[in-house]
Amino acid sequence: MRDSEGREVPRLCAETREIDHVDDLLDFADPTGTLAWLRRGDGIVALSGVGEPVFTLSEDGATDLARIPRLAARWRAISDVAEVDDDVRVPGTGLVGFSAIAFDDRSSAPSTIIVPSALVGRRAGRSWVTRIRRADAAYPELPTGLAPWGAYWSATLGPGSLDPAAYQSAVHSALDAIAAGEVSKVVLARDLRGTVPAGADLRRLARALSTGYPDCWAFAVDGLIGASPETLVTVSRGTVTARVLAGTTPRGADADADTLASAALATSAKDQDEHLYAVRSVLGSLRSHTSALAASEQPFTLKLPNVWHLATDVEGTLSGAASALDLVGALHPTAAVAGTPTAAALAVIDRLEPFDRGRYAGPVGWVDGTGDGEWAIALRCAQIGAPDAATDASPDGAPDVGSPTPFSLRATLPVVAHAGAGIVAGSDPESELMETRVKFRPIVDALA
């Protein structure tokens, strides 16, 4: 079966069965091609040892059409013809695809949905295994053992295209754009670049982030690995939730200093303004897809191991037939990672950032066959290796056109990490640089 553009719409079958309790989901994941979504020990991982993914959807920036709506339409077509046998029926069971999406439609990084051959999940005390196949193939045999953990490893990291001095200069330029009325807020990022050993067990990075930041979404999709504190959107059985983060300060060195840091953030006019832009952005994007949409009147301070954030929770009821991917498309990019107004902020980012963000600050998460899913903004993360080529996988898992050199044939793999800060009137370049240093800490520490 093919869609209106002549691309294959595979008929997929998914079977989910409950299994004995799983202690550590990452034990089941692939060491070098890790696909994982974790929070507080629960989540889903693609099972190692069962072969290549069943299918991969990929969109690049070669067309003038937005990638996310195209991915959403293609996923809906696949879901409509899929056969699902699900005995567990909790979020993350049945037909599931892991996804990482480029921040900008013009990015060279592909936006993908990867459907694994098998995955293992755990939620609310229940564990399960899902096997997925094409309609004309058999379900994969489950492995009898687990992949052994590889040796500990560390990355080498150094300044990227925008070093600290250049970043402060870019902040000055952003303030000029704000003073000229071009934007009200713009989020500027800087980069760190380096290498990791070829064949590194990427589960170790995912574990360091998931255990160090258990309240964040720890993810690994197509080499993009991180722990995001910001829920972009969750859709579950008609309920839509999101958590908006904007406004940041480092944790205090002791209890008294920490209390003062939290209070200062909560009363900071600059941070309150930055946060308000982000909340308005999310509410405006969700209104047309929801009913009874509500947000708390005042933000609260969210405590993470290294920072305080201003946070607002949003909840609503899904209206119409929109899927989680449709809402991702409506929301991205939020003011928390781009700025306000969106189009003008993206133009400033393009002018001042001398690099392609790739999937940094883009949507990352999973979507199931009903359209439900959990999505975060790809923050506190690093891209390990070049993302896979922007091509759809053929039935045997091999790409239709040339793929990048396999990890096993490279001496080292490139790694790039980004961190950003929201610039508004009154921002101080040195303070914004310090904010990026604080935001780099989770991924830099985990890579060390």
Side-chain angles (χ1 to χ4, degrees), residues 1-3 6-11 55 57 74 78 134 392-395:
M1 178 179 177
R2 296 192 175 271
D3 62 19
R7 291 182 295 197
E8 181 189 13
V9 178
R11 288 188 61 234
F55 195 74
L57 291 178
R74 296 176 67 190
I78 290 172
R134 288 177 176 258
D392 295 332
S394 61

Side-chain angles (χ1 to χ4, degrees), residues 214-268:
D215 292 323
C216 294
W217 298 108
F219 56 87
V221 182
D222 199 14
L224 182 72
I225 304 178
S228 176
E230 186 154 2
T231 304
L232 180 60
V233 68
T234 294
V235 179
S236 180
R237 298 175 182 175
T239 297
V240 178
T241 57
R243 171 165 286 182
V244 184
L245 302 183
T248 306
T249 195
R251 295 286 305 276
D254 54 41
D256 289 340
D258 206 33
T259 299
L260 289 174
S262 174
L265 179 65
T267 56
S268 164

Side-chain angles (χ1 to χ4, degrees), residues 3 48 153 165 169 224-225 231 239 256 263 272 284-285 300 312 316 334 345 371 397:
D3 62 19
S48 178
W153 54 272
S169 177
L224 182 72
I225 304 178
T231 304
T239 297
D256 289 340
Q272 290 282 348
S285 298
F300 62 93
T312 294
T334 69

Side-chain angles (χ1 to χ4, degrees), residues 48-429:
S48 178
V50 292
E52 297 292 329
V54 172
F55 195 74
T56 298
L57 291 178
S58 189
E59 289 285 346
D60 62 20
T63 73
D64 293 331
L65 300 177
R67 301 192 203 192
I68 301 175
R70 288 166 66 85
L71 282 172
R74 296 176 67 190
W75 180 254
R76 185 176 291 108
I78 290 172
S79 300
D80 285 346
V81 298
E83 298 178 13
V84 177
D85 179 7
D86 183 357
D87 285 351
V88 182
R89 297 186 179 278
V90 299
T93 61
L95 178 64
V96 171
F98 293 84
S99 182
I101 294 173
F103 173 78
D104 193 315
D105 280 338
R106 298 165 296 178
S107 172
S108 63
S111 298
T112 60
I113 300 176
I114 302 172
V115 183
S117 297
L119 56 87
V120 177
R122 191 181 86 182
R123 185 182 290 263
R126 303 181 72 185
S127 301
W128 65 87
V129 63
T130 296
R131 296 189 295 171
I132 305 173
R133 63 176 174 88
R134 288 177 176 258
D136 58 357
Y139 280 118
E141 293 293 327
L142 298 180
T144 56
L146 303 177
W149 283 78
Y152 286 94
W153 54 272
S154 62
T156 60
L157 282 176
S161 307
L162 204 59
D163 65 19
Y167 182 76
Q168 291 186 75
S169 177
V171 172
H172 279 294
S173 297
L175 290 169
D176 290 341
I178 292 169
E182 187 176 350
V183 290
S184 299
K185 172 189 175 181
V186 63
V187 180
L188 288 183
R190 66 186 183 97
D191 58 332
L192 298 176
R193 295 177 184 267
T195 60
V196 302
D201 191 331
L202 300 182
R203 295 176 299 177
R204 291 204 177 277
L205 177 56
R207 172 175 275 178
L209 291 166
S210 64
T211 56
Y213 297 84
D215 292 323
C216 294
W217 298 108
F219 56 87
V221 182
D222 199 14
L224 182 72
I225 304 178
S228 176
E230 186 154 2
T231 304
L232 180 60
V233 68
T234 294
V235 179
S236 180
R237 298 175 182 175
T239 297
V240 178
T241 57
R243 171 165 286 182
V244 184
L245 302 183
T248 306
T249 195
R251 295 286 305 276
D254 54 41
D256 289 340
D258 206 33
T259 299
L260 289 174
S262 174
L265 179 65
T267 56
S268 164
K270 177 262 181 189
D271 288 293
Q272 290 282 348
D273 286 346
E274 180 185 345
H275 189 80
L276 182 60
Y277 290 131
V279 173
R280 286 175 175 171
S281 168
V282 169
L283 292 175
S285 298
L286 288 178
R287 280 197 179 96
S288 62
H289 296 284
T290 58
S291 59
L293 187 65
S296 51
E297 291 187 5
Q298 295 294 327
F300 62 93
T301 51
L302 176 68
K303 182 170 66 173
L304 294 176
N306 62 321
V307 296
W308 288 98
H309 285 298
L310 288 181
T312 294
D313 286 333
V314 176
E315 183 171 336
T317 302
L318 191 66
S319 60
S323 69
L325 260 172
D326 292 319
L327 298 189
V328 167
L331 285 164
H332 179 73
T334 69
V337 293
T340 304
T342 303
L346 290 174
V348 173
I349 290 170
D350 188 55
R351 188 168 75 234
L352 298 180
E353 290 183 359
F355 48 74
D356 182 343
R357 286 189 178 186
R359 282 91 165 263
Y360 164 71
V364 62
W366 62 265
V367 62
D368 71 11
T370 70
D372 286 357
E374 294 175 329
W375 293 81
I377 298 175
L379 306 172
R380 319 297 195 268
C381 60
Q383 177 70 52
I384 310 293
D388 282 346
T391 58
D392 295 332
S394 61
D396 63 1
D400 293 332
V401 299
S403 60
T405 305
F407 283 0
S408 60
L409 301 183
R410 299 171 180 168
T412 61
L413 300 176
V415 56
V416 59
H418 297 87
I423 314 303
V424 297
S427 289
D428 171 63

